[in-house]
Amino acid sequence: MTEPLQLAQRVTSLKPSATVEMTERVRAARATGRKIYGLSSGDPNVATDPRIIDAAERAMRGGDTHYGPVAGSPELRAAIVAREAKLSGAAYDPGDIIVTPGGKFALLTSLMALVEPGDEVLVPAPGWVSYNPCVRMCGGVPVPLPMLDRIDGETLQRAISPRTKAIILNSPVNPSGRVLSREELQLVADLADKHGFWVIFDQVYADLTHVGAFPYMQSLDGACERTIVVDSMSKTFGMTGWRLGYLALPPGTSKSVIKFIQHSIYCVPGFVQAAGVEALALYDEIVPPLRRMFRRRQEHAVAQLNAIDGVSCSLPDATFYLFPSVAASDTEVARHWLETVDVAVLPGSSFGPAGAGHLRLSVTMADADLDEALARIARAGLPR
Ligand code: PLP
């Protein structure tokens, strides 16, 4: 008898995404008629602007339904170059830009391009749920680097080994909403230079910075040479489902990286990219009100949360997340709120052990629902 067929370890060994699983659970509960207040989703209740939808429709009706340029349309890449010049100040050539189906695939592409089997990649702890799995899928070994409050130079030095190939930095941070300081970025840049490793800079929430100027890794002197920027239209423009993001690469590297795109997705649909061009053109109209809305919700929720016994929440400088600490097991609190008052939040430990003792809340739902969810949480309190 032959052995039962086996799937590759690459997929069997992966842990499911805690955020996607919670979203599925909420969706399934809603399908049974139960109303769940979802404070767990990174998908804002923001409809795509009709002008962006029109741009996609025009492109489709105009015949942009074929394979297109592998690296992305010249129009979108030019718009991304202009965006980077304006926001980060980095001067990219359109040839350094690769358009991807979302930030997640941009991240995977960057790791596919860098990581050899056994290479170590420093990952933020706590950090976004997909970093470790993406590193592993590329044959690498994720090495957690604590950075809840700050990146400590000595801790970073200790985490670096001869096998360190790259560090993933995410600013503003999912789950905490923290913005990495210029000093922290400089520390990483200096050590990356000294020890010869790459920096992957995930800036998908940079447009949602509420306080001060946002420090971009690629704007530090000389950092462009070793920094791969991951960005996305998802969070900034209410376009999570469009799957549109990009990589901004060090000069000369895109020629090789592009082969991974050629042999995997080929290209992002042209009409999705046309929508992206329109979105970037509407930046000044769309983004500031969106930012204000999230800020107002964050401020409101922080005040409500701090009134609950055992919950302590500071106001982060960016994003639509909150990361309160709780005087109880984070998984127990999340379960308690879901089971007793139908409110879904994510335990901080979903973002690695460094997130334990916290919860991640997203203020991505309508104001009235957010109010109701917060009232329910206040009523439920922490489990005894
Ligand atoms: N990076 C971080 C830190 C995220 O939180 C997300 C989405 O939640 C992404 C990247 C990817 O977003 P998308 O693939 O929708 O562009």
Side-chain angles (χ1 to χ4, degrees):
M1 213 175 76
T2 55
E3 294 286 310
L5 293 173
Q6 300 293 330
L7 294 172
Q9 264 241 331
R10 190 180 305 116
V11 290
T12 54
S13 63
L14 289 179
K15 278 210 272 176
S17 157
T19 47
V20 174
E21 276 215 322
M22 179 57 96
T23 304
E24 296 298 329
R25 219 179 303 155
V26 169
R27 197 171 288 152
R30 283 179 181 152
T32 67
R34 192 167 149 207
K35 170 137 187 171
I36 303 286
Y37 293 84
L39 289 176
S40 53
S41 165
D43 189 350
N45 71 321
V46 174
T48 307
D49 189 287
R51 290 166 290 181
I52 298 175
I53 296 173
D54 286 347
E57 188 186 342
R58 268 196 313 277
M60 250 187 280
R61 293 199 185 282
D64 198 350
T65 51
H66 296 268
Y67 295 133
V70 173
S73 75
E75 295 78 14
L76 182 55
R77 289 158 87 204
I80 291 168
V81 166
R83 163 185 168 77
E84 279 294 330
K86 185 168 173 203
L87 298 178
S88 70
Y92 286 100
D93 183 89
D96 302 327
I97 307 295
I98 296 179
V99 177
T100 60
K104 200 177 279 208
F105 199 79
L107 172 80
L108 183 65
T109 302
S110 66
L111 290 165
M112 286 294 280
L114 300 183
V115 175
E116 307 278 5
D119 279 352
E120 293 175 3
V121 178
L122 302 174
V123 294
W128 182 45
V129 295
S130 289
Y131 292 138
N132 285 2
C134 284
V135 170
R136 285 192 200 283
M137 280 192 281
C138 295
V141 179
V143 176
L145 181 69
M147 55 175 94
L148 179 60
D149 299 316
R150 67 188 184 98
I151 299 174
D152 172 65
E154 275 180 26
T155 311
L156 174 54
Q157 297 252 26
R158 273 201 305 276
I160 296 168
S161 86
R163 297 238 59 169
T164 304
K165 181 54 85 64
I167 182 170
I168 299 176
L169 288 184
N170 168 219
S171 181
V173 177
N174 179 5
S176 67
R178 186 170 90 80
V179 173
L180 270 53
S181 69
R182 208 179 168 77
E183 291 69 36
E184 287 174 286
L185 298 185
Q186 192 63 59
L187 170 75
V188 173
D190 291 345
L191 286 172
D193 206 30
K194 178 172 167 199
H195 294 275
F197 57 83
W198 299 86
V199 179
I200 299 172
F201 189 63
D202 177 346
Q203 60 181 32
V204 309
Y205 297 99
D207 295 302
L208 301 178
T209 301
H210 308 301
V211 181
F214 178 78
Y216 289 87
M217 188 68 174
Q218 63 274 34
S219 72
L220 300 188
D221 249 7
C224 254
E225 307 286 314
R226 56 174 65 260
T227 301
I228 298 185
V229 172
V230 167
D231 207 341
S232 163
M233 313 287 287
S234 284
K235 317 286 179 174
T236 308
F237 296 98
M239 292 181 72
T240 51
W242 291 76
R243 314 308 302 129
L244 187 59
Y246 68 85
L247 285 169
L249 295 154
T253 56
S254 70
K255 223 168 52 218
S256 296
V257 179
I258 198 70
K259 287 180 272 181
F260 173 63
I261 304 288
Q262 281 176 7
H263 291 300
S264 54
I265 59 156
Y266 191 143
C267 66
V268 171
F271 51 88
V272 171
Q273 297 188 62
V277 172
E278 181 72 12
L280 289 174
L282 292 170
Y283 186 97
D284 290 338
E285 263 186 73
I286 292 178
V287 182
L290 199 65
R291 215 184 272 139
R292 283 195 292 274
M293 178 183 77
F294 288 134
R295 190 51 165 178
R296 189 175 39 72
R297 288 185 190 163
Q298 277 182 325
E299 286 169 349
H300 174 61
V302 163
Q304 304 273 99
L305 289 166
N306 280 324
I308 303 171
D309 233 15
V311 179
S312 171
C313 188
S314 54
L315 187 62
D317 285 346
T319 71
F320 42 64
Y321 297 121
L322 298 172
F323 203 54
S325 60
V326 284
S329 143
D330 53 317
T331 47
E332 287 301 313
V333 180
R335 188 173 313 139
H336 177 60
W337 289 353
L338 186 60
E339 284 173 4
T340 61
V341 289
D342 289 341
V343 175
V345 301
L346 286 170
S349 49
S350 317
F351 301 88
H358 294 258
L359 299 170
R360 196 201 72 179
L361 280 65
S362 321
V363 293
T364 47
M365 50 160 61
D367 287 355
D369 283 343
L370 178 61
D371 275 347
E372 176 61 25
L374 291 166
R376 284 171 177 241
I377 287 175
R379 210 179 328 127
L382 299 190
R384 295 214 194 111

